[in-house]
Amino acid sequence: MLPGAARDLGHRVSHWLWSHGYKLIGRALSALTRWLTGVDIHPAATLGPGLFIDHATGVVIGETSDIGANVTIYQGVTLGGTSLERGKRHPSVGDRVTIGAGAKVLGPVTIGHDSRIGANAVVVRPVPANTVVVGVPGQIVSRTQPRTATAPPDLDATVPPDLFGTSLRSLLGRIDDLEKSLPSNNTPTPSHAQPSENGVWRGEDFSI
């Protein structure tokens, strides 16, 4: 695999060729770069300064994509289209966005500045600035501590929001409270269909 600087140069040269009417040569250089790097970037795509593609393999960036400054993209990411119509049909990614491994951003959606797309998320609708997206389909979560333009790259993906887990724990807690309030059940048995305090589920609840 070529280093990141060579990947960047390969795309920028093919983009210049494409933009100046040398589309066949630009496409050929793009194909050569893809063969050497494992990254498929259409020569018409617009990449901002400071783009960092980590590991690179399997990244696909479609024809009408445009990416802002200081964006980080991990392996297996697709910025793809959802139709064959002419015109804008690929994503627009704002500045300082991080897109996690395996994420799919599809269609002419806009990803706002300082957002983070979680690993394997599927994004098909616009994402506001300073938010986090997780799940399939992607669920948008507002940040409790908004990021600033001078903040370091947002690379910590070890504590993604667990939206469904939080909802489930809330429901189970309400059920336990309701059971305790029943006059005929003063000593209810706590529900075991939930993880323990250390986050481990009881195996007998499942067929494993």
Side-chain angles (χ1 to χ4, degrees):
M1 295 291 179
L2 288 177
R7 287 197 305 267
D8 184 68
L9 178 61
H11 169 74
R12 295 188 189 282
V13 172
S14 63
H15 179 73
W16 186 93
L17 291 168
W18 182 277
S19 301
H20 288 77
Y22 303 101
K23 295 190 174 184
L24 180 60
I25 301 175
R27 199 61 163 134
L29 179 58
S30 174
L32 176 62
T33 304
R34 180 178 70 244
W35 180 73
L36 293 172
T37 66
V39 181
D40 185 358
I41 306 176
H42 194 284
T46 302
L47 309 184
L51 172 65
F52 177 59
I53 303 178
D54 197 16
H55 300 296
T57 303
V59 171
V60 177
I61 299 177
E63 178 180 5
T64 60
S65 299
D66 54 273
I67 299 175
N70 301 317
V71 171
T72 299
I73 296 177
Y74 286 91
Q75 69 271 16
V77 166
T78 297
L79 303 182
T82 56
S83 74
L84 297 177
E85 297 178 1
R86 293 185 178 275
K88 178 66 172 171
R89 56 193 182 90
H90 294 92
S92 295
V93 179
D95 298 339
R96 301 173 300 280
V97 172
T98 299
I99 306 179
K104 308 294 182 284
V105 186
L106 306 175
V109 298
T110 299
I111 308 301
H113 302 315
D114 300 296
S115 295
R116 173 154 54 90
I117 310 301
N120 293 315
V122 176
V123 181
V124 293
R125 59 188 175 123
V127 175
N130 244 316
T131 56
V132 177
V133 181
V134 293
V136 181
Q139 303 297 309
I140 299 171
V141 185
S142 62
R143 292 184 188 270
T144 56
Q145 298 179 345
R147 297 179 61 80
T148 64
T150 58
D154 184 14
L155 306 180
D156 184 7
T158 59
V159 284
D162 183 6
L163 304 182
F164 295 106
T166 300
S167 300
L168 180 59
R169 284 191 293 272
S170 175
L171 288 172
L172 291 172
R174 294 184 65 183
I175 290 172
D176 286 342
D177 290 340
L178 288 171
E179 288 181 342
K180 291 176 183 178
S181 69
L182 295 176
S184 60
N185 191 8
N186 295 323
T187 56
T189 302
S191 170
H192 294 301
Q194 54 186 313
S196 63
E197 291 183 357
N198 64 358
V200 178
W201 291 81
R202 294 180 57 171
E204 62 265 31
D205 293 332
F206 309 99
S207 299
I208 58 174

